[in-house]
Amino acid sequence: MRKKIVAGNWKMNNNLSETIALIEEIKQIIQPDNKVEVIIAPPFTNLNKAVELLKNFPVTVAAQNMHYADKGAYTGEISADMLLSIGVQTVILGHSERRIYYNETDQSLKEKALQAYKKNMTNIFCVGEKLSDRQAEKHFEIVENQLKNALFQLPVQAYKKIVIAYEPVWAIGTGETASPEQAQEMHAHIRQILAKKYGQDLARNVRILYGGSVKPANAGEIFAQPDVDGGLIGGASLNANDFNAIIEAAKS
Ligand code: PEP
């Protein structure tokens, strides 16, 4: 039985005082239980504070990115060790905004995924096709290549700490959501790809999140799909009530 995950990607939102306020609100509203794992990914500058505020509360703090090297002359970058040193053990890798605006490639993501594995970090690895890929009916192939190119270097045991997030680019921040059937179809495809490479057992156990304009109104039907194990939530994670409603939808 795969435990559901609801992860909030705050992106470049919330300064320190806004971060404190939102986390305090989340702590007031959210009813933790063992059916759903909750994660939030504030910006780098607020990770330390977030970890401190959530010390005795079952919400995990994640980073939105990290570098593949241990350390060195990489101005502006953050390493795995820096994250681990403040208690952050989870990282989102390969988000489409990073692929699009910061030229992250399968090659650099392969190195980042390897670093996450070496450092024993949980890697929420994002894949997803652009609208033009879907229109050209290349979406299955695109996602398969993203997975193969960045993750297939890793051994079976790495997948204990890998969560895949299927995020069709055309559904991120657009208000446009994949239908529950489209989400299910791609999630099942991802499981098949994993099964072919690593076996059915692993494929059955990896959690696959859906991301792309998930809101309280559509979370329930998306999460009800058999291969959807929760969501990676952008915009709606910035509002404690909406985030909580999505978490509640994942419980039922
Ligand atoms: C995201 O950025 O991962 C995301 C899914 O954003 P939104 O929910 O705003 O579409």
Side-chain angles (χ1 to χ4, degrees):
M1 181 71 182
R2 300 182 300 264
K3 188 171 176 177
K4 289 222 168 33
I5 296 177
V6 173
N9 173 15
W10 290 11
K11 312 192 185 191
M12 196 174 73
N13 291 294
N14 292 333
N15 63 21
L16 182 59
S17 57
E18 289 161 342
T19 295
I20 294 169
L22 182 51
I23 290 176
E24 292 303 350
E25 231 187 315
I26 285 172
K27 285 167 74 176
Q28 293 294 318
I29 297 174
I30 287 177
Q31 306 284 315
D33 81 353
N34 55 13
K35 283 197 193 145
V36 186
E37 221 174 293
V38 180
I39 299 172
I40 58 166
F44 283 129
T45 51
N46 303 328
L47 289 175
N48 212 353
K49 191 67 184 177
V51 169
E52 183 191 314
L53 293 171
L54 290 165
K55 205 167 186 176
N56 295 310
F57 198 82
V59 170
T60 300
V61 177
Q64 298 173 19
N65 178 35
M66 72 176 191
H67 200 268
Y68 53 77
D70 282 346
K71 58 160 97 172
Y74 299 103
T75 302
E77 290 292 326
I78 300 288
S79 72
D81 283 340
M82 290 171 190
L83 296 173
L84 291 168
S85 74
I86 58 162
V88 173
Q89 296 168 346
T90 302
V91 63
I92 299 172
L93 294 178
H95 191 280
S96 61
E97 286 153 15
R98 298 226 41 100
R99 292 178 190 258
I100 294 166
Y101 303 134
Y102 304 100
N103 303 319
E104 292 215 1
T105 60
D106 287 352
Q107 184 52 42
S108 63
L109 290 168
K110 181 178 176 182
E111 295 185 57
K112 289 184 181 199
L114 181 62
Q115 181 71 336
Y117 168 57
K118 282 191 194 154
K119 298 289 177 179
N120 201 24
M121 294 177 78
T122 298
N123 168 7
I124 302 177
F125 190 78
C126 305
V127 293
E129 81 285 358
K130 295 186 185 141
L131 183 59
S132 54
D133 301 325
R134 185 162 277 267
Q135 284 166 338
E137 296 188 4
K138 287 189 169 159
H139 44 295
F140 292 125
E141 184 188 327
I142 294 286
V143 167
E144 181 162 0
N145 286 336
Q146 289 171 338
L147 288 170
K148 282 186 175 166
N149 294 343
L151 297 186
F152 276 18
Q153 59 172 327
L154 297 171
V156 170
Q157 63 268 27
Y159 286 79
K160 287 201 183 93
K161 294 245 168 175
I162 291 176
V163 173
I164 291 166
Y166 168 56
E167 300 207 305
V169 179
W170 47 272
I172 295 184
T174 58
E176 184 90 27
T177 321
S179 68
E181 294 73 27
Q182 285 171 319
Q184 168 55 28
E185 185 181 46
M186 183 60 85
H187 284 223
H189 175 64
I190 292 171
R191 264 187 230 291
Q192 261 174 27
I193 297 165
L194 292 172
K196 241 189 269 168
K197 166 79 177 166
Y198 293 103
Q200 286 291 352
D201 228 38
L202 181 142
R204 251 197 306 272
N205 287 314
V206 169
R207 286 176 292 176
I208 308 175
L209 312 183
Y210 171 78
S213 298
V214 176
K215 303 179 218 48
N218 60 22
E221 53 175 359
I222 295 171
F223 296 168
Q225 299 303 308
D227 286 302
V228 177
D229 304 313
L232 181 54
I233 320 298
S237 72
L238 299 172
N239 176 297
N241 286 311
D242 287 352
F243 193 49
N244 182 51
I246 293 168
I247 293 165
E248 288 300 314
K251 288 180 187 172
S252 44

